Amino acid sequence: MTTFKPLLDQYSWDQVKKKIYSTRDQEVQYVLGKTKLDLTDFMMLLSPAATAYLEQMASRAQEITQRRFGKTIQLYAPLYLSNECQNICTYCGFSMDNKIKRKTLNNTELLLEAMALKSMGVEHVLLVSGEANKTVEINYFLNAISLLKPHFSQISIEVQPLEQNEYELLQQAGVHAILVYQETYHREVYKQYHPKGKKSNFDYRLDTPDRIGQAGIHKIGLGVLLGLEDWRIDSFFTAAHIAYLQRQYWQTRYSISFPRLRPAEGSVAPNFNLSDKHLLQLICAYRLWNDNLEISISTRENEAFRDHIIPIGVTTMSAASKTNPGGYVVDPQALEQFEVSDERSMETIKKQIQQMGYDPVMKDWESSYSGFIY
Ligand code: SF4
């Protein structure tokens, strides 16, 4: 199987860093004058020099997003299946070494949670779990999907990396999208944050989007955990990964998420802070580079930032999220994976989107937008 690894190995982290940090004003102006941007252009838009052009970048990002996706924001909600996990990730509340009550939803609990989401109008659900390969594994996922399928238009998943044949089973079961975040593309730093468990295998995780692409899944979601390493360099490697995947699996759609490290039980503080201004710059850079990319913002971000970003480049938002298994009705007090920042209800967020002249869409936007897709 062809993978991204040989391409990643060709790059030097330090050289990419040097290039980004030495970008000059004139280079940014040149990139902003272009209509079609490549990866080198994207790199320049991540630079400290480009921050001064944020207004220009935001207005162009807005224009591209509206032309490409219309004035719609797709809403979804996560459904946490389990907080069991066999990995140690030093930033996560579910880490194996955290002494918390572990829970995996049974069939009845799963349906109770699903009905709570349905009553909020949710049509697109994202199934999330810790990485417990023996209990929360492919058969558990397939069973959960068969129970939930009659109730939701779209089911996406964000669970441990699986084998290609398992992704094929998920594809046959009707899974819409699979999200898998590399967390950081810096090998040594990755090891420090993931000292134990299957997730400590950097290359197996790196190859995962290829296994998903080979299995023919409709959409792949990528991202890094912003705060583990320098966001500028990690984001360049994320974009390089997406560019490779788009060439390799051109029929697949791609989305990018921007999880910023949030407080969690027993977790470390971010090593690299990403300000709101720089997150905005990052979102604009992605939109200017790649007008097909779906851009997703979660409830990790606060109300004010999420509202501000609606017209600029976002296509998808989670809402009313609970990040613990059973969090909607079964066990609302259970420990969260991370603290949610935007705690508004689904109804409130829908109204806010409408007030801003946008349509809140409860299914994947491509089923409600009649414009040109590819
Ligand atoms: S980030 Fe995922 S794999 Fe790591 S401890 Fe948390 S749930 Fe487990």
Side-chain angles (χ1 to χ4, degrees), residues 17 26 36 68 172 198-199 223 227 243 252 263 294 318 334 336 371:
K17 184 173 182 175
Q26 296 92 312
K36 198 157 173 43
R68 178 67 181 78
Q172 287 155 21
K198 205 170 174 187
K199 193 168 174 179
T252 306
E294 292 179 36
S318 56
E336 297 170 311

Side-chain angles (χ1 to χ4, degrees), residues 75-358:
L75 292 170
Y76 73 94
L79 198 172
Y80 273 66
L81 303 172
S82 173
N83 61 7
E84 290 189 59
C85 192
Q86 291 158 349
N87 292 311
I88 294 183
C89 302
T90 57
Y91 47 80
C92 177
F94 294 172
S95 188
M96 188 175 70
D97 54 346
N98 273 351
K99 302 275 173 274
I100 58 164
K101 197 173 112 197
R102 303 288 168 170
K103 175 158 196 65
T104 298
L105 299 183
N106 62 31
N107 287 353
T108 309
E109 291 167 335
L110 193 58
L111 286 169
L112 281 170
E113 291 288 283
M115 289 312 109
L117 288 174
K118 281 298 283 188
S119 70
M120 295 181 218
V122 173
E123 282 293 334
H124 182 185
V125 69
L126 172 68
L127 306 184
V128 186
S129 85
E131 303 194 3
N133 297 307
K134 294 214 171 64
T135 45
V136 194
E137 37 67 80
I138 185 66
N139 292 316
Y140 180 91
F141 300 135
L142 291 171
N143 174 62
I145 291 161
S146 72
L147 286 172
L148 298 175
K149 199 102 193 31
H151 305 290
F152 295 97
S153 304
Q154 267 145 2
I155 298 177
S156 298
I157 67 169
E158 184 184 337
V159 301
Q160 72 268 33
L162 301 169
E163 293 297 320
Q164 185 181 322
N165 66 319
E166 294 173 321
Y167 285 129
E168 284 163 7
L169 292 172
L170 293 176
Q171 196 270 344
Q172 287 155 21
V175 164
H176 175 69
I178 296 186
L179 280 56
V180 61
Y181 303 147
Q182 186 61 29
E183 317 297 15
T184 175
Y185 285 84
H186 193 301
R187 275 178 191 279
E188 286 71 41
V189 170
Y190 183 93
K191 271 191 209 120
Q192 292 162 22
Y193 284 106
H194 308 99
K196 208 164 176 187
K198 205 170 174 187
K199 193 168 174 179
S200 59
N201 186 338
F202 179 92
D203 286 334
Y204 185 70
R205 198 167 187 91
L206 187 71
D207 291 348
T208 304
D210 277 289
R211 297 195 297 279
I212 302 171
Q214 292 277 349
I217 296 280
H218 185 64
K219 181 160 65 178
I220 305 176
L222 283 89
V224 286
L225 186 53
L226 298 160
L228 299 189
E229 243 301 332
D230 185 327
W231 63 272
R232 293 186 161 97
I233 300 127
D234 249 340
S235 300
F236 169 76
F237 285 111
T238 314
H241 201 169
I242 292 169
Y244 155 81
L245 292 166
Q246 281 185 318
R247 285 194 302 275
Q248 203 67 26
Y249 314 102
W250 57 271
Q251 287 172 312
T252 306
R253 287 167 54 202
Y254 297 90
S255 71
I256 179 79
S257 303
F258 306 91
R260 274 198 278 194
L261 199 52
R262 292 279 304 148
E265 182 78 12
S267 71
V268 295
N271 266 343
F272 294 84
N273 279 312
L274 173 62
S275 66
D276 285 358
K277 189 177 180 180
H278 286 145
L279 180 53
L280 180 61
Q281 179 181 351
L282 178 59
I283 291 170
C284 293
Y286 268 111
R287 177 51 76 224
L288 266 59
W289 166 61
N290 192 324
D291 57 4
N292 277 327
L293 201 58
E294 292 179 36
I295 290 182
S296 181
I297 286 285
S298 79
T299 52
R300 283 174 186 257
E301 300 305 329
N302 65 40
E303 295 180 27
F305 184 82
R306 277 165 45 101
D307 291 351
H308 180 64
I309 202 78
I310 286 172
I312 293 177
V314 168
T315 55
T316 312
M317 291 172 102
S318 56
S321 303
K322 300 292 178 199
T323 68
N324 43 348
Y328 294 103
V329 283
V330 171
D331 188 6
Q333 301 310 321
L335 183 87
E336 297 170 311
Q337 187 185 30
F338 58 85
E339 284 176 24
V340 164
S341 187
D342 183 350
E343 294 183 323
R344 288 175 292 178
S345 70
M346 183 65 77
E347 213 39 52
T348 307
I349 289 179
K350 274 160 87 173
K351 279 197 189 117
Q352 175 65 28
I353 292 171
Q354 280 162 342
Q355 272 169 18
M356 296 178 74
Y358 281 68

